[in-house]
Amino acid sequence: MKKLYIISIVSTLALAIFGCTRIENGDMDNAEPKVFKVFQAIIEGDNSDTKTILGGDPSDTLRKIYWEPNDSIAVSRDTYSYYDGNIPKFTNNSSDTSRVGNFTGSISDGRMYYALYPYNKSITYNYNNNKRIFEFTLPEKQVYGENTFGSSSFPMVGKLDTAAVTPQFIFKNLCGILVINLKGTETVKSITFRGTDSTGVAAKVSGKASVNAAYTGEPNMVMESDAGITMTLDCLDGVTLNETDSTSFYMVLPAGKYNSFNIAIATADGKIMYKGTDKPLTIRRSSATFATSLNYVEMPVTSL
């Protein structure tokens, strides 16, 4: 998906919820009646840290957010647990790319609902006292998108209280974006990111992650101890650089401070360019951070 074009723009989405198979405390329970519902959802609004959103023209200061046909989200009822591929799936049945999406699926009646984008059958949801935990996977390989992040690589979490005056799913982004700008004549096949965290050890940037959907303020995605330490942007058939104008590569990363990082840029003819820096890099949730523009040169690690 070009999907959740990020960051700090309001977008309303009509969600139609029909009824579902659910699991409570690990057991199947189909006894409750399924109730037709229509929910509305919005993406978090502007904040001072957000300067760029992924839609419209790359030169725009603010860019809109869009859903695409067949985008899907995982939806959970508050005090139920879902695992083993049983979390309800809701799919956008709109025929056009739009700020408004119609998501349909089935789930039983309840007071609170939580949602995670993008849907994957491996997502689990655990109800535990005051926490509502989604467990999911942050892709180790993201697919290049022109002037945007890769399809299904930018996770968001949402919640809805049916007792509110205006019941709405409120979605918030979980990650930030590092934008690498390159010039040259080579055809880029992939870019791989590695970093160190605030303690100086390899940062966890892909793999197993979790988030408490019943957050207060802003959500905090946690990378698990066995998560991966690399993230690769796959450019598929390759992206040919331009000597005059920079080509932008959008890499989705967990928010946080990286004490250092390096990137390895591989080309179609087997060459690799390494760039590294000991300067701290801060990736903010729901924001894009732009690295200094680079000219592609096959060379050893140097400072940015």
Side-chain angles (χ1 to χ4, degrees):
M1 91 176 202
K2 271 181 190 76
K3 291 185 168 167
L4 279 183
Y5 278 145
I6 84 180
I7 298 171
S8 312
I9 277 285
V10 174
S11 175
T12 58
L13 316 166
L15 295 185
I17 296 192
F18 293 96
C20 100
T21 301
R22 64 170 174 74
I23 297 178
E24 180 177 14
N25 299 326
D27 296 321
M28 295 297 295
D29 182 354
N30 297 306
E32 283 197 35
K34 311 313 187 271
V35 182
F36 176 84
K37 297 180 182 295
V38 177
F39 292 154
Q40 189 177 68
I42 65 173
I43 306 302
E44 60 182 317
D46 294 339
N47 69 59
S48 59
D49 289 332
T50 297
K51 303 300 181 186
T52 306
I53 28 193
L54 305 181
D57 190 273
S59 63
D60 294 342
T61 302
L62 294 175
R63 297 161 64 187
K64 295 180 180 179
I65 176 167
Y66 297 96
W67 294 99
E68 287 192 334
N70 298 316
D71 278 348
S72 56
I73 58 176
V75 178
S76 64
R77 182 178 164 181
D78 185 18
T79 57
Y80 286 50
S81 293
Y82 300 86
Y83 57 90
D84 292 338
N86 289 302
I87 194 161
K89 177 181 180 180
F90 283 73
T91 302
N92 180 17
N93 64 10
S94 298
S95 59
D96 299 317
T97 298
S98 173
R99 293 188 69 194
V100 178
N102 296 304
F103 284 74
T104 60
S106 59
I107 199 165
S108 54
D109 195 13
R111 161 71 185 273
M112 291 291 300
Y113 293 92
Y114 298 95
L116 186 73
Y117 168 84
Y119 170 85
N120 187 292
K121 66 180 181 181
S122 66
I123 292 171
T124 64
Y125 171 83
N126 297 302
Y127 161 68
N128 183 9
N129 296 323
N130 293 324
K131 294 184 177 181
R132 311 290 189 268
I133 305 297
F134 279 114
E135 295 179 337
F136 59 100
T137 299
L138 195 64
E140 186 278 332
K141 181 179 288 185
Q142 300 172 16
V143 178
Y144 169 83
E146 185 176 0
N147 294 315
T148 185
F149 48 82
S151 176
S152 300
S153 62
F154 201 84
M156 301 199 319
V157 66
K159 54 185 174 180
L160 177 149
D161 184 351
T162 60
V165 175
T166 305
Q168 295 175 319
F169 261 121
I170 308 296
F171 278 96
K172 290 199 173 186
N173 305 305
L174 297 179
C175 291
I177 292 177
L178 174 64
V179 183
I180 304 294
N181 293 303
L182 297 175
K183 293 181 181 180
T185 59
E186 302 286 345
T187 297
V188 176
K189 289 287 289 183
S190 68
I191 303 176
T192 297
F193 176 96
R194 293 178 175 85
T196 60
D197 65 17
S198 58
T199 67
V201 301
K204 309 294 187 181
V205 296
S206 62
K208 294 181 180 179
S210 63
V211 63
N212 179 15
Y215 62 85
T216 299
E218 294 187 353
N220 179 38
M221 185 181 72
V222 177
M223 301 304 296
E224 303 301 325
S225 60
D226 57 348
I229 60 173
T230 63
M231 195 290 290
T232 297
L233 185 64
D234 187 351
C235 298
L236 300 179
D237 294 333
V239 177
T240 301
L241 302 178
N242 186 295
E243 289 185 284
T244 304
D245 299 319
S246 294
T247 300
S248 295
F249 297 83
Y250 292 71
M251 308 180 78
V252 176
L253 295 171
K257 182 178 180 180
Y258 297 84
N259 276 4
S260 64
F261 75 95
N262 65 75
I263 55 175
I265 306 166
T267 63
D269 56 3
K271 297 177 182 177
I272 297 180
M273 173 185 177
Y274 296 98
K275 278 289 187 179
T277 180
D278 291 327
K279 297 178 181 178
L281 167 70
T282 299
I283 298 295
R284 294 182 173 84
R285 187 193 68 80
S286 197
S287 297
T289 300
F290 293 81
T292 303
S293 183
L294 301 172
N295 289 310
Y296 184 92
V297 179
E298 186 182 11
M299 57 190 298
V301 175
T302 60
S303 292
L304 290 174

